[in-house]
Amino acid sequence: MRILFPAVAASLAIAGPAFAQSDPKAPVEALSDGLIAIMKGGGKLGQSGRASQIAGIVDRSFDLPLMARLAVGGAWAEAAPADRAALVAAFRRLTINEYAHNFDSWGGETFRIDPNVDARGGDRLVKTMLVVPRDAPVAIAYRLRENAGQWRIIDVYYKNSISQLTTRRSDFEGIVRTGGVRALVTHVNALADKAAR
């Protein structure tokens, strides 16, 4: 397993049945369980098998279209619908491939979810700890927003402080400024291809 900051992704289509979302911890629990499962599958599943197994959980746990829009910023409103859809699909591939790449083996790791959920305005913050045997635990927090009665993850905080969404937006700003959303689609797809190797 690699303790790296997995990508935040986006998807226009939410596949499979939704989780029972009255509890904001539910998507976080599902994602945590899914990551442990692919870690245990490890080399037997291979990269493509792990990606296939985690894909539906990513789709249902995250508000991926909102995350894509927030990562792009103001340029999202100016982008053609086809470019938005292509970017969402690219972000989805990147997120799934990075989770499958980073969580590739299991050495007894577990996730511990804090039962206390913090409010952030209308959003909720769920804190977790990735417990790693013989190493320091890794704090990971998830920000969730309710949409149509379902809580979904909209940001991930590594060590409870480094916002993945903010990091992505900063990384993508120059690409969007010079080449627009279409250039960002190419860039994100290249990152997704690299993560799949």
Side-chain angles (χ1 to χ4, degrees):
M1 180 194 66
R2 302 167 182 88
I3 305 295
L4 299 174
F5 201 21
V8 172
S11 172
L12 287 175
I14 303 301
F19 301 123
Q21 298 283 25
S22 58
D23 181 357
K25 294 192 300 294
V28 176
E29 291 168 349
L31 178 63
S32 299
D33 290 347
L35 292 175
I36 294 296
I38 65 169
M39 289 165 68
K40 288 182 176 179
K44 182 178 178 181
L45 285 174
Q47 170 73 20
S48 63
R50 292 191 303 273
S52 177
Q53 189 166 316
I54 201 66
I57 295 170
V58 167
D59 288 339
R60 296 187 301 270
S61 296
F62 289 89
D63 188 342
L64 301 170
L66 175 60
M67 293 170 78
R69 179 172 64 82
L70 294 174
V72 171
W76 181 265
E78 303 163 8
D83 290 340
R84 290 183 192 176
L87 182 61
V88 167
F91 267 97
R92 179 180 184 272
R93 287 185 61 237
L94 176 60
T95 298
I96 291 166
N97 287 347
E98 284 198 343
Y99 272 128
H101 179 78
N102 294 339
F103 291 84
D104 63 343
S105 63
W106 186 70
E109 293 87 352
T110 58
F111 282 98
R112 191 168 56 229
I113 299 174
D114 190 330
N116 301 308
V117 176
D118 297 335
R120 294 289 186 271
D123 295 344
R124 298 291 182 269
L125 191 71
V126 176
K127 294 179 180 178
T128 73
M129 195 71 68
L130 175 58
V131 181
V132 183
R134 298 172 301 283
D135 207 343
V138 180
I140 304 170
Y142 299 88
R143 187 169 189 143
L144 296 99
R145 184 168 295 172
E146 192 175 22
N147 183 5
Q150 295 185 350
W151 290 101
R152 295 194 187 276
I153 299 165
I154 64 164
D155 200 1
V156 183
Y157 299 89
Y158 180 65
K159 296 187 176 178
N160 290 338
S161 62
I162 303 169
S163 163
Q164 196 168 43
L165 198 56
T166 301
T167 301
R168 286 290 186 204
R169 188 166 180 170
S170 175
D171 290 346
F172 297 156
E173 185 178 11
I175 296 168
V176 172
R177 186 173 56 249
T178 58
V181 171
R182 191 168 296 177
L184 185 57
V185 170
T186 301
H187 176 71
V188 174
N189 272 320
L191 293 176
D193 290 341
K194 182 178 179 181
R197 295 185 190 128

